[in-house]
Amino acid sequence: KNQVEQSPQSLIILEGKNCTLQCNYTVSPFSNLRWYKQDTGRGPVSLTIMTFSENTKSNGRYTATLDADTKQSSLHITASQLSDSASYICVVSAISFQKLVFGTGTRLLVSP
Amino acid sequence: SQTIHQWPATLVQPVGSPLSLECTVEGTSNPNLYWYRQAAGRGLQLLFYSVGIGQISSEVPQNLSASRPQDRQFILSSKKLLLSDSGFYLCAWSLTVNGYEQYFGPGTRLTVT
């Protein structure tokens, strides 16, 4: 069964600290993996997208890693800011079917 | 540049009433279009997707239907709303069905009372 699992479910960190969010997937055959940021009450916005051959990609203070062998990805946020408070969603797509498999997200709260 | 619009932004409807949510995309041609629902505390669930005018694929059996009357217009409808239809509805578009990113609209918060 094609699934995407994220951990932790929620996380609270102090402003300025770093954090890492995890994503494990069973989607096969793998095509690409994306991380989205979703502010409360808004649509998700793409942070990074990685294909099978990529194992790291950065977007400002966000760095995503991908291990296609173990089917794991992580999103590292450096020097967190209050505006980083949001849900972060891992999304995986397979080569063979025309849809994405969404994780349930990690809800991050950055406190002052 | 491409933009995606959804309206209304919020909607409160009684059980049994009809529904029509609209999504339009600007700045691109022949996009793939998607309707998702996000229940509180849950991940996004794909409801429908469309690869062209009049072409609708349904992912889950439900009380909703979708239509694509024009290339860049996608409509989500229901004849009679259920309480379980409450949620956050997101429209998205992509250039290809799988290889590229999906770009999401601002969403519609639907509350069925």
Side-chain angles (χ1 to χ4, degrees), chain B:
Chain B
S1 63
Q2 301 89 359
T3 55
I4 179 169
H5 304 277
Q6 284 186 244
W7 64 89
T10 60
L11 190 60
V12 179
Q13 292 282 96
V15 168
S17 63
L19 173 73
S20 180
L21 303 182
E22 190 164 343
C23 170
T24 59
V25 181
E26 297 177 355
T28 187
S29 296
N30 197 30
N32 298 290
L33 297 173
Y34 311 82
W35 276 114
Y36 291 90
R37 177 169 57 204
Q38 188 176 35
R42 296 194 173 186
L44 277 74
Q45 178 187 35
L46 179 63
L47 302 176
F48 302 94
Y49 69 91
S50 171
V51 299
I53 296 174
Q55 300 178 62
I56 308 295
S57 296
S58 175
E59 286 298 302
V60 293
Q62 57 200 309
N63 185 42
L64 303 168
S65 62
S67 61
R68 186 170 177 176
Q70 301 180 44
D71 181 45
R72 289 169 287 179
Q73 184 184 30
F74 205 21
I75 298 173
L76 184 69
S77 304
S78 173
K79 292 182 179 178
K80 289 185 178 181
L81 283 169
L82 306 172
L83 286 175
S84 58
D85 292 323
S86 293
F88 191 51
Y89 288 83
L90 287 159
C91 180
W93 72 274
S94 68
L95 286 175
T96 69
V97 295
N98 203 34
Y100 290 101
E101 299 179 45
Q102 289 187 12
Y103 301 91
F104 288 85
T108 295
R109 172 73 59 189
L110 171 66
T111 302
V112 182
T113 61

